[in-house]
Amino acid sequence: MGQFENAEGKLSFFDPSMGTAYYPAALIARDLFFEFLKANNLECLWAITGEKTAHPNGTRDAWGRRSYSTIYRRSNKKWVGRTYHEDIRHRL
């Protein structure tokens, strides 16, 4: 549990947090991953999103928020990304 071996018995994927109270993670064998994509004519996209908020005076009267997202695509053996962000400021 928490790991996967390919047909040849090579460890392809594992979650180092299994059996712990830590956040889950996915570690993938790089060479096997890219071989799989190529053999199946697939492409990998990574999507990363998040948000940061700030309350500069310690109350909810004034606050700011930045929402962001990035999508990465593998192209010519390089990761190429496009980032979007939006800033919102609020004052009562």
Side-chain angles (χ1 to χ4, degrees), residues 60-63 90-92:
R60 297 205 178 261
D61 298 6
W63 53 269
H90 176 74
R91 295 198 192 292
L92 289 177

Side-chain angles (χ1 to χ4, degrees), residues 17-55:
S17 70
M18 288 301 295
T20 71
Y22 295 107
Y23 293 105
L27 299 179
I28 302 169
R30 180 186 176 98
D31 57 337
L32 297 175
F33 178 68
F34 287 119
E35 286 172 16
F36 175 82
L37 292 178
K38 186 175 182 180
N40 292 282
N41 197 29
L42 296 172
E43 184 174 45
C44 178
L45 298 175
W46 293 112
I48 301 168
T49 64
E51 181 179 274
K52 174 139 178 100
T53 59
H55 302 274

